[in-house]
Amino acid sequence: MLKNAPWITLLFFFLFFTTHNTFSQRKSKNGSKATTASEMKVRPKLVVGIVVDQMRYDYLTRFWDHYGDGGFKRLVNNGFNCKNNHFNYSPTSTGPGHASIYTGTTPATHGIIGNNWYEKGSATEVYCASDNEYTAVGTDSDTGRMSPKRMLVSTITDELRLHTQMRGKTIAIALKDRGAVLPGGFTANAAYWFHGMEEGHWISSTYYMNELPKWVTDFNASNAAEQYKKPWTALKALNSYTESGLDNNPFESLFEGEKSPTFPHDLPTLWGANNQFDIIRPTPYGNSLTADFALAALSGENLGQDAITDFLAVSFSSTDYVGHHYGVNSKEIQDTYLRLDQDLERLFKGLDKKVGDGTYTVFLTADHGAIDVPAYLKSRKLPAGYMEWDALKERFGTFLQYTYGTKDIVKNFSNDQFFLDHKIVNNLDLDLGKVQERMATELLTYEGIDRVYTGVQMRNNNYVKGIPYILQNGYHQKRSGDVLVVLRPGMVTYGVTGSTHGSPQVYDTHVPLLFYGMGIRSGSTVNRTEIPDIAPTMATLLGISFPNGTTGNPISEVLE
């Protein structure tokens, strides 16, 4: 027996090292399972990016008991819910929001610093998606003169197109042009938006095509929008909408011709006085029409029908129009979300049928949140109010005249930023940083202004948290202004009816982020996530390059 001991010992070590080597190949150095070749090849047939315009996070929880099982609840219960998701920049508005979601970065990098902004070189105001080099397709109006040229970096949709050698399709859809153009990126096969007025058609731009494809012309010819020329009645009994305020209250706007902001809203009667098909926008029917068109695109473009991943970007814009019109505490906003829940269920069923449940991946988020109507907050004894900019401008103009001998030292005020005339500053032999600082000190004495920062501070400092961090992420060194103003929480520059957004305050930054489908874990997190994390998370899932300006990070908890 002892003679065989060396052989037994050798056999033991051989088996140990063979087993250990095999095990090591399956485990990484930190003990986690190593990636296999088959895992590297997993690809969803279709990615569906959904942006709900002006959706606060608490719309998920507030209306939860009214939702069905196939819409929001399907995403939450079977997908991954990032409960503490925020915009990490301001202004929190539609153009920057859509750009940030799809580029994986902030306005400081992608350059979309507002829906509109003052362009220093031309001394004019520009729109985030406008481009006069192109013309409309599908209408004779100028509403189609659009392209993504003002965006400075690539999108997740661009990177997917590049990765697939342009074989994977990208189709982007929204009522708003900017809600389609910016998500589609530079390489989209098509971006479509809605032209209302007397037409009620989906249109595009010669940036993408010279004529609409047959499925779009067929959709427009079917008078699909015409079916929504009907009264807007509540989906459920109004007395069941206990999560919202009174139906008749002074905090809501009226359609032209209405006597009270109450259900039902008689769209056929109000049609002519409210720009005809445009009245669909501030009703839930605009979202339903968007879902109709998205389902038509699914079939018309044969999305998700092969092994090459396609991308469908859909933005539901009517939630924003309704929020601006009625406010976040209105029965109209509740009804709009209950109807959107049904439209989402309809969209998901269409995806199940056309693409196959478990073969596509969805993310859903928002482009910004919204404040409750300040007039309503005041009525509840909460600190809130309205900034009287006209009075401020007069007082500030007097300060400028007295201090510098001219009001013209300020060329523009927009997006809560003052733009200075640098030529005048130089001609007066003034130090730009000191001028900015002196103006900031003056503005801090005005009622309603909470904080003021200067362009020099934005360029020279590195903020890592709080309001200055949010402002800096929204500050583009070539495009942004010289003095940045932050209003007190609860203060807005807006009318006394309806809700608005745009600030760095938490009610504008806290929005949903849900993932669902192929490659997505089931669960939730209360760890902070940020909007620029979405694109790198999806890029990691797809195994493609991050958009070239990415500053966000993949959310590891989300991915299987």
Side-chain angles (χ1 to χ4, degrees):
M1 293 294 293
L2 291 174
K3 291 181 179 179
N4 292 328
W7 294 104
I8 294 173
T9 303
L10 285 172
L11 179 62
F12 169 79
F13 279 106
F14 174 79
L15 291 173
F16 173 79
F17 282 111
T18 301
T19 304
H20 178 73
N21 185 55
T22 302
F23 180 77
S24 297
Q25 290 176 8
R26 295 179 180 271
K27 303 284 283 185
S28 65
K29 291 182 179 179
N30 62 8
S32 63
K33 182 180 177 182
T35 302
T36 66
S38 61
E39 287 172 332
M40 289 290 289
K41 295 178 182 178
V42 172
R43 298 284 188 276
K45 292 182 177 179
L46 179 67
V47 175
V48 183
I50 300 174
V51 179
V52 183
D53 206 321
Q54 201 190 117
M55 184 176 183
R56 291 160 54 111
Y57 177 81
D58 66 346
Y59 288 157
L60 276 180
T61 56
R62 185 171 142 203
F63 307 138
W64 182 261
D65 292 340
H66 291 271
Y67 292 143
D69 292 330
F72 287 115
K73 283 186 177 179
R74 179 176 177 178
L75 299 183
V76 172
N77 292 335
N78 301 319
F80 198 92
N81 181 7
C82 298
K83 298 181 178 181
N84 188 24
N85 183 62
H86 290 267
F87 281 86
N88 62 341
Y89 68 85
S90 68
T92 41
S93 50
T94 300
H98 283 80
S100 298
I101 291 164
Y102 281 85
T103 63
T105 189
T106 66
T109 299
H110 63 60
I112 304 298
I113 62 171
N115 291 337
N116 302 275
W117 66 85
Y118 175 75
E119 188 175 67
K120 299 176 185 179
S122 63
T124 60
E125 184 177 273
V126 297
Y127 176 59
C128 62
S130 65
D131 190 343
N132 289 329
E133 292 184 16
Y134 299 95
T135 56
V137 176
T139 180
D140 292 329
S141 75
D142 288 336
T143 55
R145 302 176 73 88
M146 303 290 165
S147 87
K149 76 168 187 178
R150 299 190 194 282
M151 192 161 57
L152 302 177
V153 298
S154 69
T155 61
I156 182 70
T157 47
D158 289 325
E159 296 300 334
L160 181 59
R161 290 272 285 154
L162 292 171
H163 185 82
T164 61
Q165 300 301 312
M166 300 296 174
R167 293 193 294 269
K169 283 187 175 180
T170 292
I171 305 295
I173 294 166
L175 290 182
K176 297 180 180 180
D177 47 45
R178 59 188 179 272
V181 171
L182 299 174
F186 296 91
T187 61
N189 298 83
Y192 299 105
W193 52 95
F194 185 67
H195 176 57
M197 302 296 285
E198 73 283 357
E199 296 182 34
H201 288 168
W202 291 88
I203 67 170
S204 190
S205 157
T206 52
Y207 178 84
Y208 306 99
M209 64 194 73
N210 292 320
E211 61 181 13
L212 296 175
K214 186 177 184 301
W215 72 265
V216 178
T217 58
D218 288 348
F219 187 93
N220 287 335
S222 71
N223 294 320
E226 188 79 26
Q227 66 177 305
Y228 297 112
K229 187 180 178 181
K230 61 182 181 179
W232 176 12
T233 57
L235 186 64
K236 298 183 178 182
L238 278 180
N239 60 12
S240 72
Y241 289 5
T242 56
E243 296 79 11
S244 302
L246 297 174
D247 189 30
N248 193 3
N249 65 72
F251 313 117
E252 301 176 3
S253 301
L254 299 172
F255 285 121
E256 189 69 33
E258 271 190 326
K259 294 182 179 178
S260 67
T262 55
F263 279 107
H265 299 283
D266 191 356
L267 269 59
T269 300
L270 302 168
W271 196 260
N274 293 273
N275 294 322
Q276 301 179 68
F277 284 100
D278 277 347
I279 199 174
I280 292 175
R281 295 175 183 270
T283 76
Y285 299 148
N287 289 334
S288 297
L289 179 61
T290 302
D292 296 341
F293 192 68
L295 288 167
L298 196 64
S299 297
E301 296 289 347
N302 293 314
L303 297 175
Q305 297 306 300
D306 56 31
I308 301 174
T309 304
D310 297 323
F311 204 115
L312 176 62
V314 183
S315 181
F316 290 101
S317 307
S318 284
T319 41
D320 183 69
Y321 290 114
V322 175
H324 279 294
H325 202 80
Y326 295 101
V328 305
N329 195 48
S330 64
K331 295 198 183 299
E332 283 80 3
I333 202 71
Q334 179 164 357
D335 191 72
T336 296
Y337 275 89
L338 302 194
R339 289 179 179 273
L340 174 60
D341 185 60
Q342 293 186 338
D343 288 325
L344 288 173
E345 181 174 1
R346 188 159 57 93
L347 177 60
F348 297 151
K349 285 182 177 178
L351 289 165
D352 292 342
K353 182 178 180 179
K354 292 287 185 180
V355 184
D357 188 17
T359 68
Y360 62 88
T361 306
V362 177
F363 69 81
L364 182 149
T365 189
D367 56 352
H368 52 75
I371 188 176
D372 214 328
V373 181
Y376 168 72
L377 295 176
K378 289 181 69 176
S379 75
R380 294 297 187 181
K381 300 181 180 180
L382 288 163
Y386 297 89
M387 189 68 189
E388 298 292 339
W389 281 114
D390 289 340
L392 180 150
K393 287 178 182 177
E394 183 177 350
R395 177 179 165 186
F396 192 57
T398 301
F399 160 78
L400 295 176
Q401 186 69 46
Y402 176 80
T403 306
Y404 302 109
T406 177
K407 299 178 184 178
D408 294 337
I409 196 170
V410 171
K411 295 186 71 173
N412 178 268
F413 176 75
S414 54
N415 293 321
D416 292 336
Q417 298 180 23
F418 289 92
F419 291 78
L420 303 185
D421 189 324
H422 289 204
K423 289 183 179 179
I424 291 179
V425 173
N426 290 333
N427 289 339
L428 293 175
D429 200 24
L430 298 171
D431 179 89
L432 179 63
K434 291 181 179 178
V435 172
Q436 292 177 354
E437 186 61 38
R438 189 165 186 180
M439 289 183 182
T441 301
E442 168 69 15
L443 289 165
L444 274 172
T445 66
Y446 296 4
E447 183 65 26
I449 292 180
D450 188 50
R451 306 164 187 234
V452 185
Y453 293 87
T454 68
V456 170
Q457 287 177 302
M458 292 293 105
R459 290 193 299 273
N460 294 345
N461 296 328
N462 182 30
Y463 300 106
V464 296
K465 62 181 180 179
I467 297 295
Y469 165 74
I470 293 172
L471 291 179
Q472 192 169 53
N473 284 330
Y475 186 87
H476 191 274
Q477 292 193 12
K478 289 188 174 182
R479 293 182 174 179
S480 296
D482 293 276
V483 180
L484 292 70
V485 174
V486 180
L487 300 184
R488 199 177 66 219
M491 294 288 292
V492 300
T493 306
Y494 201 64
V496 295
T497 57
S499 294
T500 191
H501 52 85
S503 80
Q505 308 297 349
V506 69
Y507 42 75
D508 285 338
T509 68
H510 189 197
V511 299
L513 176 55
L514 308 174
F515 294 89
Y516 169 86
M518 188 176 189
I520 302 299
R521 287 178 178 172
S522 178
S524 66
T525 183
V526 294
N527 293 330
R528 181 181 174 95
T529 58
E530 297 180 336
I531 286 294
D533 297 335
I534 298 171
T537 300
M538 296 308 300
T540 300
L541 172 70
L542 297 170
I544 65 175
S545 294
F546 290 7
N548 61 19
T550 297
T551 53
N553 296 292
I555 307 168
S556 60
E557 301 100 314
V558 167
L559 303 177
E560 287 185 340

